[in-house]
Amino acid sequence: MKSIQKPGLQLLNTVFFNKYRLVEKLGEGTFGMIFKCESTDGLCAFKFEKKRYGRRSLLKAESEIMIELKGFGIPKIISYVENEDYNIMIMELLGKSLEVIVQQYTEEKLSLKTVCMLGIEMLKILKNIHDKHYIHRDIKPDNFAIGYSDQSQLYLLDFGLAKQYRSAKTLQQKPMQKNKKLTGTARYASINALRGYDQSRRDDLESVAYVLAYLLRGNLPWQGIVVKTKEEKYAKILYRKQSITSEQLFFGFPNELCTYINYCKNLGYEEEPKYDYLTDLFKNIIQNQLHEEIDYKYDWLQNDIDLNLNIKENYISVGGDENENDLNNLSMLNNLSNSFSNSRNSLSAFNNSFNDNNLDAGYYEEAAEDIDEKENNKIIENKKEVEDNENKKKICICCIII
């Protein structure tokens, strides 16, 4: 029987630009694949995107935004390069995502102290990007990862759907539009985003509440909805989010979590969130109710878990830690271009200007739809597999009786 090689595995051990060797496939998403790389400067990550001619590269836009946002909780970008087939973003290597940690290394939920400390760090990161005039628009456990070496450091990933929400000069926000297609992941999207309203800072913060609820509970009340169309799925998730009270969502947990989500839901479209007030809610839980210190000794550190040891094959991990060497983008790209100047995979020069960050909105919306459709198809496939197994059992029982 002929074995079928999984996509991307044929690239393993390939050396790019006489410098980077792909040693491990880390994950695969809607836009491409991610590999762990060894280089002369240490470990890093390669993120590939198949070229889509006639459309601007989403990966190029993501790299530009991440360089502009560089700072606390943002993975460092080493460079962005292109060849005839792929757009490639080279970045620091990060550790596991919160989704992977919860699913593979814990009992599918985290302690209250760990979740509150994560909440504090998430707010710091979001304040950083909001102050620089961007919103993320796809806050979820998959898009938060810890450092590869420093596993107490939290990072925010995947800025492919990020958007500038206001003018950097005037700080003026665009008027809110309605009847917009959902951008992001429906499970963690805000109620207003599911209603079709333009997103702003409040939506990122509301999504954090759903992420924290998921990490505490191990699930969300609107998970597992099986429908035939995306529209029906979004409508059902919206109905459940509107129907469930904050007390029900955070049942058995401190009231401060209810206060947090209620505050976010009541924010105006242009209203600036009080990040310090929200941070104090998490600090109060840790210090005054749990009588603990904010020491960032997360569950995975306390349990002495080796998070760099693979448990399952398909996990997502992108980015890097603060201790890796930071290369100069321009000089490195000059060297890369020289080494590949005579080959068919000659590199495009790195465009270091960030003036045009207004990408095709339809491209973003299409990307979000692809993500949700993939998730919905998995649910339907799983249900069909269960039904097929049940039918096989019935057939076996009938045969035995006969």
Side-chain angles (χ1 to χ4, degrees):
M1 183 177 178
K2 186 178 179 180
S3 62
I4 300 175
Q5 194 175 40
K6 292 188 177 181
L9 294 186
Q10 69 274 14
L11 294 175
L12 288 179
N13 294 315
T14 301
V15 177
F16 283 80
F17 319 129
N18 298 325
K19 186 181 180 76
Y20 301 97
R21 184 170 70 90
L22 307 189
V23 296
E24 183 183 350
K25 183 180 178 183
L26 297 180
E28 188 172 357
T30 305
F31 304 117
M33 298 170 290
I34 303 158
F35 289 85
K36 178 181 178 180
C37 299
E38 290 178 347
S39 78
T40 54
D41 298 300
L43 296 174
C44 63
F46 257 45
K47 189 171 182 179
F48 288 86
E49 173 194 56
K50 189 74 174 174
K51 279 201 169 180
R52 301 176 68 180
Y53 291 96
R55 284 186 170 177
R56 189 182 178 194
S57 165
L58 195 68
L59 200 57
K60 178 181 174 70
E62 181 180 6
S63 68
E64 292 175 351
I65 291 172
M66 290 178 71
I67 292 172
E68 190 171 347
L69 293 175
K70 64 181 179 180
F72 181 80
I74 309 297
K76 292 180 182 178
I77 301 300
I78 297 172
S79 67
Y80 169 83
V81 291
E82 298 179 1
N83 63 25
E84 291 185 3
D85 300 314
Y86 291 100
N87 305 313
I88 305 170
M89 183 167 69
I90 307 173
M91 59 194 296
E92 294 176 304
L93 182 68
L94 288 189
K96 301 295 190 294
S97 71
L98 293 184
E99 179 66 35
V100 170
I101 291 172
V102 167
Q103 293 298 327
Q104 298 182 0
Y105 296 90
T106 67
E107 297 178 354
E108 298 193 353
K109 59 183 70 175
L110 298 175
S111 69
L112 178 59
K113 178 186 175 183
T114 284
V115 170
C116 287
M117 289 190 297
L118 288 172
I120 292 170
E121 294 301 284
M122 289 176 186
L123 288 176
K124 286 182 187 176
I125 296 171
L126 286 176
K127 186 179 187 305
N128 173 41
I129 72 169
H130 292 169
D131 286 349
K132 295 177 181 177
H133 324 297
Y134 281 89
I135 51 175
H136 188 272
R137 301 202 298 176
D138 196 19
I139 298 296
K140 58 183 179 181
D142 287 296
N143 285 340
F144 285 103
I146 61 174
Y148 187 80
S149 297
D150 183 0
Q151 296 180 352
S152 65
Q153 175 67 54
L154 188 69
Y155 293 86
L156 180 59
L157 308 174
D158 201 346
F159 287 80
L161 300 178
K163 178 184 178 181
Q164 191 169 340
Y165 70 93
R166 69 182 181 186
S167 167
K169 291 183 178 180
T170 66
L171 304 185
Q172 184 68 36
Q173 287 188 222
K174 295 179 181 179
M176 184 179 66
Q177 296 182 6
K178 299 181 180 180
N179 301 317
K180 303 278 290 185
K181 289 184 179 180
L182 175 66
T183 299
T185 305
R187 181 188 296 179
Y188 302 100
S190 69
I191 288 175
N192 282 323
L194 287 165
R195 284 173 176 166
Y197 295 170
D198 256 341
Q199 295 187 47
S200 63
R201 291 169 288 187
R202 63 181 181 179
D203 301 281
D204 279 350
L205 298 183
E206 184 178 335
S207 291
V208 166
Y210 300 130
V211 169
L212 299 182
Y214 170 78
L215 297 176
L216 282 171
R217 297 163 45 109
N219 60 69
L220 290 170
W222 43 86
Q223 280 184 235
I225 295 175
V226 180
V227 292
K228 294 181 179 179
T229 66
K230 289 190 294 291
E231 290 74 17
E232 187 180 357
K233 176 185 176 181
Y234 295 166
K236 286 193 172 184
I237 290 177
L238 174 59
Y239 175 76
R240 290 193 185 181
K241 283 187 179 181
Q242 290 176 318
S243 303
I244 292 173
T245 65
S246 58
E247 289 76 17
Q248 290 172 321
L249 182 64
F250 288 107
F251 179 78
F253 297 104
N255 290 332
E256 283 85 348
L257 296 169
C258 300
T259 302
Y260 175 94
I261 191 171
N262 290 336
Y263 174 86
C264 296
K265 287 180 178 179
N266 289 323
L267 280 170
Y269 172 70
E270 296 187 19
E271 187 176 353
E272 181 175 5
K274 296 179 180 178
Y275 300 93
D276 290 341
Y277 166 73
L278 295 174
T279 299
D280 286 342
L281 294 175
F282 298 127
K283 288 181 177 180
N284 183 61
I285 294 174
I286 297 171
Q287 295 173 333
N288 299 332
Q289 297 190 38
L290 298 178
H291 304 290
E292 298 263 11
E293 293 182 0
I294 303 172
D295 53 13
Y296 297 105
K297 293 181 179 178
Y298 296 113
D299 291 346
W300 51 89
L301 297 176
Q302 295 279 31
N303 297 333
D304 196 27
I305 299 172
D306 185 0
L307 292 178
N308 292 327
L309 178 66
N310 294 346
I311 299 296
K312 294 182 182 178
E313 185 174 340
N314 296 320
Y315 68 91
I316 301 295
S317 179
V318 218
D321 64 53
E322 297 293 338
N323 297 322
E324 297 289 342
N325 293 328
D326 189 21
L327 301 178
N328 181 276
N329 289 333
L330 190 56
S331 61
M332 192 198 74
L333 283 167
N334 287 335
N335 293 333
L336 298 185
S337 296
N338 290 334
S339 68
F340 255 61
S341 59
N342 297 321
S343 71
R344 67 181 290 273
N345 290 332
S346 58
L347 300 174
S348 300
F350 182 56
N351 183 350
N352 198 31
S353 65
F354 309 111
N355 296 327
D356 180 20
N357 286 320
N358 297 320
L359 299 182
D360 178 9
Y363 194 7
Y364 280 126
E365 290 165 355
E366 178 184 318
E369 289 176 4
D370 287 344
I371 293 170
D372 283 315
E373 185 172 6
K374 193 171 183 180
E375 181 182 325
N376 192 52
N377 288 340
K378 283 182 181 178
I379 295 172
I380 293 173
E381 287 173 7
N382 290 339
K383 184 182 179 184
K384 186 176 184 302
E385 185 177 347
V386 171
E387 290 174 349
D388 290 343
N389 289 336
E390 290 298 321
N391 290 333
K392 287 178 183 177
K393 289 178 183 178
K394 290 178 182 178
I395 292 171
C396 292
I397 292 171
C398 290
C399 291
I400 293 170
I401 294 173
I402 291 170

